[in-house]
Amino acid sequence: MLGETSILNDVSSEVSIDKWVYGGDSMARIEGRVVFVPFVLPGEIAKVRLKDGDMHAELAEIVQPAPERVSPTCPLFTRCGGCHYQHAPYEFQLARKVDILREQLRRVGKIKWEGEVGIISGPPLGYRNRAQFHLANGKIGYLAPGSHDLVPVDGECPISSPRLNQALAGMRDRMTDRRFPNFVQSLELFTDETKVQVNILETERPVAKSFYEWCQSTVALEYATTFGKFRVSPRSFFQVNRFLVDQLVEAAIGDASGNNALDLYAGVGLFTLPLARKFSKVAAIEAGTTAARDLEVNAQEAGLVIQHLQGRVEDHLARMTATPDYIVADPPRAGLGKTVVSHLARLKSPKLTIVSCDPATLARDLALLTDYKIEKLTLIDLFPQTYHLETVVQLRRS
């Protein structure tokens, strides 16, 4: 009997899976206590193991699979920490992500959004243009879920683009060469499907310039979109889904136009440049030194005049008094936060668009923006097969 099995022992318990929750796991209950289980579907019966004091269970066996369950594309699924949803059809993933977005808004922000959630999606495989890899004992791959154990990738990664997989294979071959710096612990590969940029992330000592030349690494990648070319240097951020960059910009900006616009967390200018073609004046704020340089170069190459403000968003907003016609904000996972939200409330821009990569921090920020109402909510699935989701919220000041 389930009630006779102690959840404090490392033994198998049979559970009924309730629903997916944000973070990649599903929710279930053992003896009335909530536990989180990976790699399962709602409605399934599974055996799980749960250690003392841990809410996160280990999947032991699927006792009764859901009818939606499919075979994962990748042989490393469940071993590699990169994907969470390869056991589910893609349309199922999209529908559950909408449910998760609504739940996060309701639970974290107390926002009960009854309106439509638009969905923008692309191919569910072969989409990644950038990936980080770990190296150990002559092998290259990803880390196991919640672990520092290396899972070697000996073949192709199904969610990576063809050129990224080719670059991975090339790096794997170089690791057998005595010239390879075996003190490198992790690196990043980034591609536009033509050129490849190699970035060393963790290393015990500096890597010689000759290594990058040997890898035929481009120093600054020029990423082409329908909105222009964007120089992306090492340590500059750029979107990882090669199929949905244009759709993301269109969803965020749409038909917005006017006299002056403000781009917060501007990066290399993905939103700044399209804004500069629609507004008479555009100010862009970016704290990162490398990204800020890329932003300036990209604006100059496009023949666009912008006001570039390097530094923290909250510091520049504190000095602003004029009300922009339109603001777009693409903050990091931590979200806007109370200080930035308070400045936005003071500036009173009639239209505000938030591009968020974390629905929990988005819900928190929206709850603080009491003077604004949601006009449109769009889920952009930049990360198929994973729990991550991008949300574009168009707000109007009430």
Side-chain angles (χ1 to χ4, degrees), residues 199-218:
N199 300 315
I200 300 299
L201 302 179
E202 295 177 278
T203 180
E204 294 176 0
R205 56 181 185 268
V207 175
K209 182 181 177 182
S210 58
F211 170 75
Y212 298 98
E213 295 171 348
W214 181 36
C215 295
Q216 298 179 321
S217 172
T218 182

Side-chain angles (χ1 to χ4, degrees), residues 17 75 162 279 352:
I17 306 302
F279 289 82
L352 167 64

Side-chain angles (χ1 to χ4, degrees), residues 94-311:
L94 292 173
R96 298 294 78 74
K97 285 186 176 184
V98 170
D99 294 340
I100 289 170
L101 174 58
R102 290 186 187 274
E103 182 180 41
Q104 289 292 298
L105 292 176
R106 182 174 60 252
R107 187 177 65 82
V108 179
K110 308 299 186 245
I111 300 167
K112 193 174 182 180
W113 173 249
E114 301 287 359
E116 178 188 2
V117 177
I119 299 176
I120 296 176
S121 61
L125 298 172
Y127 65 86
R128 286 198 72 106
N129 58 30
R130 185 194 298 255
Q132 296 179 3
F133 299 95
H134 293 262
L135 296 81
N137 302 318
K139 297 288 187 178
I140 184 169
Y142 301 112
L143 295 182
S147 168
H148 292 290
D149 296 336
L150 182 73
V151 179
V153 179
D154 296 324
E156 292 191 344
C157 172
I159 66 171
S160 294
S161 74
R163 187 66 182 92
L164 191 59
N165 273 313
Q166 184 183 355
L168 172 61
M171 194 61 66
R172 199 161 44 227
D173 290 342
R174 289 186 190 92
M175 290 180 67
T176 63
D177 192 298
R178 61 180 179 79
R179 292 174 292 174
F180 192 88
N182 56 16
F183 48 83
V184 172
Q185 298 165 328
S186 68
L187 55 81
E188 178 185 73
L189 301 175
F190 177 39
T191 180
D192 62 354
E193 291 308 291
T194 301
K195 296 182 179 179
V196 174
Q197 184 184 90
V198 179
N199 300 315
I200 300 299
L201 302 179
E202 295 177 278
T203 180
E204 294 176 0
R205 56 181 185 268
V207 175
K209 182 181 177 182
S210 58
F211 170 75
Y212 298 98
E213 295 171 348
W214 181 36
C215 295
Q216 298 179 321
S217 172
T218 182
V219 176
L221 200 70
E222 276 203 349
Y223 207 98
T225 74
T226 58
F227 300 98
K229 288 185 178 180
F230 294 88
R231 188 183 83 168
V232 185
S233 297
R235 292 179 294 279
S236 289
F237 171 78
F238 200 78
Q239 297 294 341
V240 303
N241 191 312
R242 66 191 181 108
F243 298 120
L244 296 180
V245 175
D246 295 336
Q247 291 91 323
L248 174 64
V249 175
E250 184 61 34
I253 298 176
D255 58 359
S257 62
N259 181 44
N260 58 84
L262 182 60
D263 184 7
L264 309 181
Y265 313 95
V268 301
L270 182 61
F271 299 118
T272 310
L273 270 58
L275 285 172
R277 296 185 177 97
K278 291 172 171 282
F279 289 82
S280 302
K281 299 177 182 178
V282 173
I285 304 177
E286 169 55 40
T289 303
T290 304
R293 285 200 300 264
D294 287 341
L295 172 61
E296 289 184 342
V297 169
N298 292 333
Q300 291 170 2
E301 291 293 322
L304 298 169
V305 177
I306 64 167
Q307 181 186 10
H308 172 227
L309 305 171
Q310 185 180 347

Side-chain angles (χ1 to χ4, degrees), residues 16-29 34-43 55-57 84-85 87 92-93 95-108 358-360 385-389:
S16 176
I17 306 302
D18 182 12
K19 61 182 179 180
W20 279 0
V21 294
Y22 185 62
D25 290 341
S26 294
M27 191 178 81
R29 293 181 186 274
V34 171
V35 296
F36 300 102
V37 186
F39 313 124
V40 289
L41 297 178
M55 295 178 65
H56 294 272
H84 313 94
Y85 294 157
H87 58 302
F92 184 94
Q93 295 181 33
R96 298 294 78 74
K97 285 186 176 184
V98 170
D99 294 340
I100 289 170
L101 174 58
R102 290 186 187 274
E103 182 180 41
Q104 289 292 298
L105 292 176
R106 182 174 60 252
R107 187 177 65 82
V108 179
D358 188 307
Q385 317 303 335
T386 81
Y387 74 84
H388 301 288
L389 58 94

